Amino acid sequence: MRIQKNILAVHDISCVGKCSLTVALPILSAAGCTVSVLPTAVLSTHTGGFEGFTFRDLTGDLPGILKHWRALGLRFDAIYTGYLGSIEQLRLVSRLIDEFRAPGAPACVDPVMADGGRLYASFGPDFPPGMAALCRKADLILPNRTEAALLLREPYREGTQNRNRTEETLRRLSELGPRRVVLTGVSFSPEETGCAVYDRDTDEIGYAFSQKIEGAYHGTGDVFASALIGALANGFSLIQSAREAVGFTCGAIERTHLAGTEIRYGVNFEEGLAEYSRRMLPDPAEKSERKKEGNLDEI
Ligand code: PXL
């Protein structure tokens, strides 16, 4: 019998403009995981490309929620954090990881705070150092290149990158604390984009690329991270999970591009869910092969 992984997803709810919890929930569910949520804020839309959005910070609600969970004795098989609404929330989430992870359960921190060289509208300059402190707790982090530059306190460089510098960035990010790093938005040629993956235990670096489609499609970081964590939860190795996530995210971008949808509303990942789910939950014989290569417990 298959035992479902119970994953805690800590993100905001953006009511419109698919990102954070509105993508993490369906994708992790399609991967066969039980998903518990801790909403960090409620916004009328996400903050990238809409004017006049509302923002209700839920930091004040978290202690009561955690108190109830403590009374229930809850523990999670993985904790996956994304958009966090305040500096205080960073500290609360750091403590939550210590208290609510099951023994050996990984903490996966997507340090959502910036893209395209710019910090998101809702954050001040004190946020990146706070996020770097949370990353120290993580087993796996998934920054984009702008977030990586902020975490490492170095300038952001536009355009394609070179392999040596990317590999140095991966190692330095790992020195912040996490054993595993997935750097997104990596591109060594104008035609392709993808991610670089580093595992400190083996000192191995891998890449997953696909064809580039121009445009800053919103919420793709959350689609990618959710698909990757869903694959890890199903016993795929880190590099296999990265390949699954790149394929899933690129399919979503391609459909959105072909449909000509406004990019701020997010990508059409929904029509890729059935295929993703089939790839995540194949027959039991194949699954046992995967277990040999690595799984969520080994992040
Ligand atoms: O997808 C990242 C994200 C999540 N949540 C909110 C955001 C953003 C990016 O802009 O604004 C509220």
Side-chain angles (χ1 to χ4, degrees):
M1 194 192 61
R2 190 184 133 78
I3 298 186
Q4 282 183 295
K5 299 278 185 198
N6 185 4
I7 299 184
L8 174 63
V10 186
H11 300 249
D12 70 284
I13 298 173
S14 287
C15 301
V16 166
K18 291 175 280 185
C19 66
S20 38
L21 277 184
T22 62
V23 311
L25 259 167
I27 294 172
L28 289 169
S29 298
C33 301
T34 290
V35 195
S36 304
V37 300
L38 188 60
T40 57
V42 179
L43 298 88
S44 52
T45 64
H46 62 67
T47 66
F50 295 98
E51 294 284 312
F53 54 85
T54 67
F55 182 99
R56 182 176 176 81
D57 179 5
L58 296 179
T59 305
D61 292 45
L62 302 193
I65 294 173
L66 299 185
K67 187 171 170 214
H68 186 205
W69 289 0
R70 199 168 290 128
L72 294 171
L74 296 182
R75 293 290 179 272
F76 300 98
D77 298 320
I79 297 176
Y80 161 34
T81 75
Y83 184 100
L84 302 175
S86 65
I87 296 277
E88 194 194 339
Q89 222 169 66
L90 291 168
R91 289 191 213 106
L92 271 168
V93 167
S94 176
R95 290 207 293 274
L96 147 97
I97 288 171
D98 290 333
E99 187 176 352
F100 290 96
R101 53 159 59 160
C108 308
V109 174
D110 185 354
V112 176
M113 58 183 166
D115 204 2
R118 295 178 54 184
L119 201 59
Y120 291 143
S122 48
F123 298 125
D126 50 348
F127 197 81
M131 185 57 92
L134 179 63
C135 287
R136 250 175 252 141
K137 274 278 163 66
D139 299 280
L140 168 70
I141 60 169
L142 307 103
N144 62 34
R145 291 197 315 106
T146 308
E147 289 155 352
L150 287 166
L151 292 172
L152 295 174
R153 297 169 186 263
E154 59 184 30
Y156 170 74
R157 290 187 182 84
E158 291 266 1
T160 55
Q161 302 99 59
N162 83 44
R163 203 170 270 258
N164 283 347
R165 191 171 289 145
T166 299
E167 302 195 349
E168 189 190 312
T169 299
L170 289 169
R171 291 198 172 88
R172 288 180 53 220
L173 285 166
S174 172
E175 283 163 14
L176 293 176
R179 291 190 299 119
R180 289 177 160 193
V181 177
V182 177
L183 180 64
T184 61
V186 172
S187 178
F188 298 142
S189 77
E191 303 82 43
E192 57 175 22
T193 185
C195 69
V197 168
Y198 176 61
D199 184 331
R200 191 172 63 212
D201 291 345
T202 56
D203 201 37
E204 267 175 9
I205 288 174
Y207 295 94
F209 288 117
S210 86
Q211 196 205 336
K212 190 180 212 150
I213 294 174
E214 280 312 323
Y217 284 86
H218 204 90
T220 49
D222 300 329
V223 169
F224 172 83
S226 303
L228 184 142
I229 290 166
L232 287 172
N234 280 288
F236 286 81
S237 69
L238 186 62
I239 184 66
Q240 283 176 321
S241 301
R243 291 193 184 116
E244 290 293 330
V246 165
F248 181 71
T249 309
C250 286
I253 293 173
E254 210 170 284
R255 282 188 289 277
T256 312
H257 174 71
L258 287 173
T261 316
E262 253 192 80
I263 58 177
R264 62 184 178 164
Y265 284 101
V267 289
N268 178 353
F269 68 89
E270 294 90 340
E271 289 184 55
L273 279 179
E275 165 66 12
Y276 172 72
S277 196
R278 265 194 299 278
R279 295 175 68 82
M280 292 300 107
L281 311 167
D283 65 70
E286 196 185 323
K287 218 172 123 42
S288 64
E289 283 303 304
R290 265 188 229 159
K291 287 284 176 212
K292 289 179 198 150
E293 295 204 35
N295 61 32
L296 194 55
D297 307 327
E298 292 162 14
I299 293 178

